[in-house]
Amino acid sequence: MIVDDRQWMREALKLARNGIGTTHPNPRVGAVVVRERDGRLLGKGWHKAPGGPHAEVVALAQAGGDANGATLYVTLEPCSGFGRTPPCTEAIVAAGIRRVVFGSADSNPAMAGGGQQLVEQGIEVRRGVLQAECDLLNRPFFHGLRHQRPWIIAKAALSLDGKLATADGDSRWISNNRCRRHAHRLRAEVDAVIVGAGTLRSDNPQLTPRGVKRNGDNPLRVVISRTLPVFRADLQLADVRDAATRIYCQTVTADALHWRAAGVEVVQYQQLRDLFFHLYEAGVRLVLVEGGGRLHGALLRAQLVDEVVLYQAAMLIGGDAATHLWGGDGCHRIADAPRLINVQYRRMLDNQLIRGDLLYPSSL
């Protein structure tokens, strides 16, 4: 029987997606064990959380003795080093796997090289099957290894003329119900949701995913502010029973005592990049920024936005004082403007979803 490697890698990808929201700082990985002579699925698994068994180990355990002589499909190259768990290459060799097929190469220096180790043990290895899809699934992980900071998504609801809110700060609702549900699904996938002090004061947000399924704990809620916001007991972010809250500020005031007494972490920072390095060191790999024009503008100027998600409504707001997506000083030349690549468009009733990666001129 001819075994379709792409078909089984798709099955492994489906399993890997179960780890969205639970695996960071580890990658999302799925695996299946298949008997080649009849194409029978013998075992399957995915990595659920840091410190837990890797996808290969789960799939091999389910297959048991039938794994001997079978093929293992895994979305990421099996790890070769010791972390919280032993190397997956050891489990693969011990199980008697004849052939290993993987999608993405592991670029983590501490874990890379598993494919070559398996070859040296006499196991047939095929690399790069559905690599683009496998790489995309773990984009935050690979990005973090290269840049030592999280992948940053900027999300906003805009009018046709590019306004986030009226001059009086009213923004409810530019987006429709379908877009807001999509936004909650995004929250359910990320490690942290970020707003600025202005959004904290004006909207009193909760910043938790609601009405959608999340596999793990609620994301960390983050506020970025130059000066520590004034503490108010009625602020939803001061209630940390359902989700943790952290405030990054350049100037710490006496209100820090009240915030910390409520269970909120207060961290002083100097530069925007510093706080994202701090988040990365804490295990955060994917963040969603829901701030206003000032915060979005600061991140865009610092070239810290990797992806944008825009919900554009069929309305005009107008007014010089209305809030823009990019507040403050924007680009002075068209040549300096970042461009969207890999753009997706989707009609969502009277709104349009626009999603794409940002390409900055400096990276060309």
Side-chain angles (χ1 to χ4, degrees):
M1 179 176 181
I2 298 176
V3 177
D4 186 344
D5 287 347
R6 293 171 63 87
Q7 170 197 336
W8 288 113
M9 189 60 72
R10 290 190 187 97
E11 292 300 316
L13 275 166
K14 289 178 184 177
L15 292 165
R17 293 187 183 101
N18 290 321
I20 292 175
T22 68
T23 66
H24 292 166
N26 292 354
R28 305 153 176 171
V29 185
V32 295
V33 179
V34 178
R35 188 162 62 195
E36 290 198 8
R37 69 172 182 266
D38 57 5
R40 179 186 169 194
L41 176 63
L42 302 173
K44 60 183 181 180
W46 68 90
H47 181 51
K48 295 183 178 180
H54 289 188
E56 302 96 313
V57 173
V58 176
L60 290 169
Q62 193 177 107
D66 290 337
N68 186 43
T71 295
L72 171 71
Y73 294 88
V74 59
T75 54
L76 180 67
E77 181 180 14
C79 64
S80 62
F82 281 88
R84 300 187 191 183
T85 61
C88 289
T89 50
E90 292 186 358
I92 293 168
V93 172
I97 287 290
R98 187 191 73 81
R99 181 169 175 259
V100 171
V101 179
F102 66 82
S104 299
D106 194 341
S107 55
N108 182 354
M111 299 294 170
Q116 182 58 36
Q117 283 191 9
L118 294 173
V119 169
E120 293 170 358
Q121 293 293 322
I123 296 174
E124 180 184 338
V125 174
R126 183 182 179 191
R127 302 167 169 83
V129 174
L130 297 186
Q131 180 176 345
E133 292 92 329
C134 294
D135 287 352
L136 183 62
L137 180 66
N138 278 312
R139 183 161 62 172
F141 173 75
F142 294 129
H143 177 272
L145 288 173
R146 288 193 300 270
H147 302 286
Q148 299 298 296
R149 69 162 177 82
W151 180 268
I152 300 171
I153 304 172
K155 179 203 70 103
L158 299 171
S159 62
L160 282 177
D161 52 344
K163 308 295 185 181
L164 294 177
T166 68
D168 294 328
D170 183 26
S171 62
R172 297 188 177 181
W173 291 103
I174 294 176
S175 61
N176 60 28
N177 287 334
R178 184 175 293 183
C179 291
R180 291 194 290 277
R181 183 173 178 80
H182 182 271
H184 279 280
R185 287 201 297 269
L186 285 177
R187 285 183 182 177
E189 295 179 3
V190 302
D191 304 317
V193 181
I194 300 178
V195 296
T199 300
L200 175 69
R201 289 190 298 268
S202 61
D203 293 352
N204 190 12
Q206 190 173 345
L207 299 186
T208 53
R210 299 184 297 279
V212 296
K213 178 183 177 182
R214 178 172 170 88
N215 294 328
D217 296 333
N218 283 329
L220 173 70
R221 302 172 303 179
V222 175
V223 179
I224 298 177
S225 178
R226 290 182 180 175
T227 302
L228 182 67
V230 175
F231 177 82
R232 294 197 337 249
D234 66 309
L235 290 173
Q236 296 190 86
L237 296 194
D239 184 347
V240 296
R241 288 174 293 182
D242 292 331
T245 301
R246 182 182 299 165
I247 300 176
Y248 288 96
C249 57
Q250 292 178 322
T251 303
V252 179
T253 67
D255 274 271
L257 294 173
H258 302 296
W259 283 111
R260 288 171 175 148
V264 174
E265 186 179 2
V266 176
V267 179
Q268 193 169 18
Y269 78 96
Q270 297 299 320
Q271 303 291 331
L272 273 174
R273 289 185 180 273
D274 297 338
L275 72 87
F276 286 108
F277 293 147
H278 185 268
L279 284 169
Y280 183 81
E281 290 174 353
V284 173
R285 296 294 180 267
L286 180 61
V287 304
L288 180 66
V289 178
E290 298 189 4
R294 183 173 297 174
L295 178 57
H296 281 313
L299 293 174
L300 287 165
R301 282 193 301 276
Q303 298 190 5
L304 287 171
V305 176
D306 302 299
E307 181 181 357
V308 295
V309 175
L310 303 176
Y311 308 110
Q312 190 172 47
M315 68 172 68
L316 299 171
I317 292 177
D320 292 339
T323 305
H324 304 272
L325 173 64
W326 190 328
D329 293 333
C331 296
H332 296 287
R333 301 184 309 153
I334 293 298
D336 296 330
R339 306 297 176 113
L340 277 182
I341 59 174
N342 304 322
V343 187
Q344 306 169 34
Y345 297 95
R346 191 198 317 171
R347 292 297 304 173
M348 303 184 82
L349 299 179
D350 60 336
N351 279 203
Q352 179 170 234
L353 168 65
I354 306 169
R355 184 172 189 171
D357 303 339
L358 272 188
L359 178 66
Y360 296 95
S362 62
S363 64
L364 296 176

